[in-house]
């Protein structure tokens, strides 16, 4: 679990997820929620304290995308090119809607971080 002091840090890859230090490019990896497939990674960042993935959900959410903070990724399987997130489909679907014009802005990321921060990991 990635925590800063006693606070969970949604924007840092968990140390036990197998992402940090691998040099793996996650773009194109399949994404699995706790209850099934949600899409493929369209974009991934690796900035310290500000990392996330953007998932193209295809037909699952009507061709939309979702932003998942790096801390939601629980495991990486390089052989199958798959990442696993510690959230259900419903929890991901209920997150703040992806905003293609503002998803890199601090205010949007703060809303996403607050949403995912209310769950226990």
């Amino acid at each position: 679990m990635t925590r800063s002091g006693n606070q969970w840090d949604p924007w840092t890859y968990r140390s036990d997820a197998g992402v940090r230090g691998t040099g793996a490019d996650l773009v194109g990896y399949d994404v699995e929620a706790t209850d099934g497939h949600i899409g493929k990674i369209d974009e991934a960042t690796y900035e310290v304290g500000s990392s996330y993935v953007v998932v193209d959900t295809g037909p699952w959410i009507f061709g939309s995308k979702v932003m998942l903070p790096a801390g939601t990724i629980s495991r990486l399987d390089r052989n199958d090119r798959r990442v696993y997130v510690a959230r259900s489909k419903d929890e991901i679907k209920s997150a703040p809607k992806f905003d293609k014009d503002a998803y890199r802005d601090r205010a949007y990321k703060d809303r996403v971080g607050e949403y995912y921060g209310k769950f226990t990991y």
Side-chain angles (χ1 to χ4, degrees):
M1 184 171 325
T2 302
R3 292 197 175 268
S4 191
N6 288 336
Q7 186 71 22
W8 175 70
D9 178 7
W11 306 108
T12 300
Y13 290 102
R14 294 167 41 159
S15 59
D16 60 350
V19 177
R20 289 195 282 181
T22 64
D25 181 5
L26 300 180
V27 173
Y29 276 50
D30 286 313
V31 181
E32 298 290 327
T34 56
D35 55 353
H37 183 75
I38 64 165
K40 286 190 180 286
I41 295 178
D42 192 47
E43 179 181 341
T45 65
Y46 308 94
E47 301 154 18
V48 174
S50 189
S51 299
Y52 60 86
V53 295
V54 174
V55 179
D56 183 342
T57 61
W60 177 56
I61 307 181
F62 308 111
S64 186
K65 295 182 180 188
V66 294
M67 174 190 272
L68 296 173
T72 62
I73 295 176
S74 59
R75 186 166 62 93
L76 166 69
D77 183 332
R78 274 186 247 121
N79 292 332
D80 288 339
R81 294 184 48 82
R82 190 173 309 270
V83 297
Y84 297 85
V85 295
R87 297 280 38 97
S88 70
K89 288 180 168 185
D90 283 342
E91 290 164 343
I92 293 167
K93 199 171 189 176
S94 296
K97 299 295 177 224
F98 183 77
D99 184 337
K100 67 180 177 63
D101 297 320
Y103 75 98
R104 291 184 176 107
D105 295 347
R106 174 57 47 205
Y108 175 77
K109 289 173 78 176
D110 285 348
R111 284 195 314 278
V112 171
E114 274 181 42
Y115 173 78
Y116 284 104
K118 69 183 181 181
F119 298 102
T120 350
Y121 288 85

